[in-house]
Amino acid sequence: VKENKKGDLDVASKAAENVLEEIEKHFSQPDVIDKRRKKHFVEEVMPNAPDLTIEEEKMFGELGHLESELEEKGKRVKGTLKEDMDKFLWNDEGRVWAAFGVIVDKSAQGVMAEIFELDTYEKTAKHLSSKSGKLPRIVRKNVDGTRGLHYHLGVHVPAAKNRLFELWETWKEIKLSEG
């Protein structure tokens, strides 16, 4: 507490600050908020999403070849045979591609919420506690009224310069004939 001539103001402001810290500790529920964000994505965002833009539809059309590319060119990353996730890499004319395959025990909407809802307390805390914590992490949703999401992520790379990854993500729900 700073001293001043009257002393009362600094003591009162410190007391108020301490009370607010205790209130935050008591009412802070990041796990509950993260669950609500994901539930909101499934129940509100997905059913009410705007139509895909022409650019988004074009992007999905251009990605259709990736499954056959994976089968033809993909090489399993060493050491992933017994893991929960299959990882593949391949190089195509200077562009490096990665693919992942995983079986999940969750609804498709729940998986989408986990993947697309990047602005959670859990993911922010994980970034801040990592070696990349001082580097940027920016999530922009509903870009220009679309389903689009822009994600900028600074990553600490040992023995090299730090890297900034920029991703544009969007999604499309496809219902199979089985429902």
Side-chain angles (χ1 to χ4, degrees):
V1 179
K2 295 180 186 176
E3 290 185 34
N4 63 14
K5 292 179 183 177
K6 292 185 180 180
D8 295 339
L9 185 59
D10 288 333
V11 171
S13 66
K14 186 62 178 174
E17 185 179 317
N18 290 340
V19 168
L20 290 174
E21 285 176 7
E22 289 303 314
I23 290 171
E24 182 181 7
K25 286 179 195 174
H26 181 71
F27 289 103
S28 177
Q29 298 179 333
D31 294 342
V32 172
I33 293 169
D34 286 351
K35 285 179 186 174
R36 286 181 184 165
R37 283 178 187 256
K38 293 170 187 173
K39 183 178 178 183
H40 173 78
F41 182 83
V42 170
E43 294 178 357
E44 298 294 329
V45 174
M46 288 185 76
N48 299 307
D51 292 337
L52 291 168
T53 64
I54 294 170
E55 291 83 12
E56 289 170 328
E57 286 284 3
K58 182 180 174 189
M59 182 183 74
F60 282 117
E62 291 172 354
L63 295 176
H65 74 285
L66 285 180
E67 189 173 355
S68 60
E69 293 256 346
L70 169 62
E71 291 175 11
E72 292 174 21
K73 300 178 182 177
K75 294 183 178 120
R76 182 185 295 273
V77 175
K78 290 181 182 179
T80 65
L81 186 59
K82 296 181 182 179
E83 293 182 4
D84 294 336
M85 182 183 297
D86 294 326
K87 301 171 191 161
F88 300 90
L89 287 173
W90 70 95
N91 192 325
D92 186 21
E93 298 176 17
R95 294 172 74 181
V96 178
W97 292 88
F100 306 93
V102 63
I103 297 174
V104 294
D105 186 20
K106 224 178 196 185
S107 72
Q109 290 90 355
V111 171
M112 277 300 303
E114 291 288 335
I115 293 171
F116 208 75
E117 193 57 51
L118 297 173
D119 198 15
T120 63
Y121 284 98
E122 177 187 10
K123 291 178 182 176
T124 300
K126 185 175 179 180
H127 175 75
L128 291 174
S129 67
S130 72
K131 290 183 178 180
S132 303
K134 293 183 179 178
L135 299 174
R137 181 180 183 277
I138 302 166
V139 179
R140 291 187 180 105
K141 299 179 190 177
N142 305 322
V143 178
D144 296 329
T146 68
R147 298 178 186 200
L149 175 139
H150 290 175
Y151 186 41
H152 303 265
L153 179 66
V155 177
H156 172 74
V157 181
K161 291 184 177 181
N162 294 330
R163 301 287 188 251
L164 178 64
F165 293 89
E166 295 184 357
L167 296 102
W168 168 46
E169 298 181 20
T170 191
W171 57 273
K172 180 178 183 178
E173 183 176 18
I174 299 173
K175 299 216 181 217
L176 301 176
S177 58
E178 298 96 38

